[in-house]
Amino acid sequence: MTTHTNLLGGPDPTYLPENEAAFRLLDAESVPAAEVAAQHPTFSPAWAALAEEAFSAGRVIESYAYARTGYHRGLDALRRNGWKGHGPIPWSHRANQGFLRCLAVLARAAEAIDEKDEAERCRQFLRDSDPAAYAELLG
């Protein structure tokens, strides 16, 4: 992991710890996301996969619930790792991607159920966390 000097005086980027066992189940072993979430309930990438799958299938309320769960699990993890409620959450760091994906699906699902204020807050949070994540996921 590379650390960068922040020349603007803002908070340093937050890098969530890797959960190699959960990533292996989800990626290399192709264990269904629901099983990975059951075995590793704090693992946001599993919740993101569930949310994305549900949204793609038109199950918006289910997608919203999965995304919100992954979002809150991610917030908990970020806080445990020094995040103070603002500052960069780099998309380039694999362990951060589950949280950021949940945030993007939450924005889309909130929009779909006419929660426009929440959708905009989620979009802005994603932009503030990492513009590259916003471009990749919602751009």
Side-chain angles (χ1 to χ4, degrees), residues 91 97 100-101 104 108 126 130-139:
W91 171 250
Q97 291 177 5
L100 296 168
R101 287 169 50 210
R108 290 195 311 257
L126 189 59
D130 189 334
Y134 183 86
E136 176 78 19
L137 299 167
L138 294 178

Side-chain angles (χ1 to χ4, degrees), residues 74-90:
L75 283 177
D76 292 344
L78 287 165
R79 289 181 185 120
R80 280 192 307 275
N81 286 279
W83 188 72
K84 304 289 188 221
H86 64 286
I89 304 167

Side-chain angles (χ1 to χ4, degrees), residues 7-44:
L7 301 176
L8 300 176
D12 288 332
T14 302
Y15 299 95
L16 292 173
E18 296 282 340
N19 183 335
E20 291 300 334
F23 274 118
R24 184 176 56 255
L25 290 173
L26 193 60
D27 296 335
E29 296 181 23
S30 299
V31 173
E35 289 181 35
V36 177
Q39 292 177 37
H40 299 273
T42 63
F43 186 61
S44 289

